[in-house]
Amino acid sequence: MKKILVTGALGQIGSELVMKLRESYGNDNVVASDINDKATGEVVESGPYEIIDVTDESRLAEVVEKYNIDTIYHLAALLSATGEKNPALAWNINMGGLFNVLEVARKNNCAVCTPSSIAAFGPSTPKDNTPQDTLMRPTTIYGVTKVAGELLCDYYHEKYNLDTRGVRFPGLISHKSLPGGGTTDYAVHIFYEAIKNKKYASFIDKGTYMDMMYMPDAITALVKIMEADPSKLVHRNAFNIASMSFDPEMLAAEIKKHIPEFELEYDVDADIQKIADSWPNSLDDKEAREEWGWDPQYDLAAMTKDMLENLSKKLK
Ligand code: SER
């Protein structure tokens, strides 16, 4: 049985990934960790929880050794909009944290899965159907740490034969946990406001297409890529994965099918819009489909229906 450590376990992805992994591998075999020392809730209460600041390598090593960890899902990171407000902190957490995880993994022979992002691409990248292997010159600090992180994970695989794997996540949409400080967050906030106030002012402009994904597909991707046959993996860090691409107008039109009185307005944030404009419109994910059977279940219509149903219950 695997012994798994998840860093950033209380974040948007972590809080759902931990529960899924505990279901599959047993509660005691999945150690959740985060920097938060006052946390409560199902992640903290349903299995082991350890406080880890990923910039502290010795603390990471202590937890890995204590539980005989063999697989690390490293999720602790700052997102794009927050990163632009404090580039030094983004570098320290995203690069410093990943470097520590890789070093501890090397010394303890752990597999490592860490997400990259559509932010690893930049303005010179082909915008539509962005290929797996292409120009990557991001213009945000978050993107710089993501592309450097992909390369660092490849390096540890090549040099030390460490089993590193990852995917490039688009904007992630979930009714369970909120994202924090991302460029794609509008696509989550819009659902809350649609249900509560029947209107939303988007900080991303009309006509701005970005890849998005519903959380159940994102969680499946993280589980599936770590269970994939390594002999079939040509690309390890990191795979393009895609399931839907839309702009605010398309999302609003889909929401209106369920809430006809919903109105979309715009209050564009120039700084965040600049980030969105530097990212691709849509990714080509054929390598992920071929090499490990990536097969998303939710398109825009299915995601919107499920989001509204679940969020309406939650916000009652
Ligand atoms: N959702 C992330 C962000 O907007 C992209 O990886 O920063």
Side-chain angles (χ1 to χ4, degrees), residues 79-81 117-118 142 169-172 181-185 279:
L79 288 184
S80 56
S117 160
I118 53 171
Y142 175 68
F169 274 138
L172 297 180
T183 300
T184 53
D185 294 9
W279 292 353

Side-chain angles (χ1 to χ4, degrees), residues 187-202:
V188 180
H189 298 161
I190 194 171
F191 284 100
Y192 282 80
E193 295 306 310
I195 292 168
K196 287 195 284 195
N197 301 321
K198 315 271 183 261
K199 66 173 182 216
Y200 176 66
S202 173

